Amino acid sequence: MALLKQIYTEDNTGVYAEYWKISEINSNWLTNRIEIILVGFISEEARILGRSPLLKRTVTATGDQALQYFSAIVMQPEGIDIIHEAYMYVKGHTQEFYDSQDV
């Protein structure tokens, strides 16, 4: 799974990342904090060819949101995919990715 969303680099070159993959999900249950790290490539082909990502975004769930979406109890039922849930969290809780497309 990945997300499609054009996000321009901040260097004013007119280049944008369009293909977004989760590269990491970090959890700290002592502080109830989840970090979802996405990297953006110019295209899916660029990622497959091993090109470097153009951009990186970190989405954080803390406190009750971390527990509601990512706790062991929530992830317990068979068939729950934490990667899929993380993509859905990003789309539903990050304005930058609200209108992204699943691929």
Side-chain angles (χ1 to χ4, degrees), residues 15 31 49 52 84 97 100 102:
V15 176
T31 61
L49 292 172
S52 296
H84 180 264
F97 288 99
S100 62
D102 299 339

Side-chain angles (χ1 to χ4, degrees), residues 6-17 40 53-55 57:
Q6 288 183 359
I7 299 176
Y8 285 88
T9 60
E10 291 91 21
D11 58 10
N12 204 27
T13 60
V15 176
Y16 57 83
L54 299 173
L55 294 171
R57 295 290 190 265

Side-chain angles (χ1 to χ4, degrees), residues 75-91:
M75 294 286 127
Q76 208 67 354
E78 191 174 321
I80 298 292
D81 178 357
I82 191 169
I83 302 297
H84 180 264
E85 294 302 309
Y87 278 114
M88 294 302 100
Y89 184 85
V90 168
K91 287 181 68 171

Side-chain angles (χ1 to χ4, degrees), residues 1-102:
M1 182 169 189
L3 299 176
L4 279 182
K5 169 72 183 207
Q6 288 183 359
I7 299 176
Y8 285 88
T9 60
E10 291 91 21
D11 58 10
N12 204 27
T13 60
V15 176
Y16 57 83
E18 182 174 42
Y19 186 81
W20 292 87
K21 289 289 286 181
I22 290 176
S23 64
E24 299 176 46
I25 300 174
N26 301 311
S27 60
N28 182 328
W29 295 114
L30 293 176
T31 61
N32 292 331
R33 181 181 178 88
I34 304 291
E35 287 185 344
I36 303 163
I37 300 170
L38 299 103
V39 290
F41 298 88
I42 197 163
S43 66
E44 180 180 13
E45 181 181 7
R47 187 198 65 80
I48 291 169
L49 292 172
R51 303 291 188 249
S52 296
L54 299 173
L55 294 171
K56 177 176 152 181
R57 295 290 190 265
T58 301
V59 177
T60 304
T62 58
D64 290 341
Q65 284 190 343
L67 293 173
Q68 180 181 355
Y69 290 93
F70 299 103
S71 71
I73 293 171
V74 172
M75 294 286 127
Q76 208 67 354
E78 191 174 321
I80 298 292
D81 178 357
I82 191 169
I83 302 297
H84 180 264
E85 294 302 309
Y87 278 114
M88 294 302 100
Y89 184 85
V90 168
K91 287 181 68 171
H93 293 86
T94 309
Q95 187 173 6
E96 194 168 40
F97 288 99
Y98 275 154
D99 58 349
S100 62
Q101 298 175 16
D102 299 339

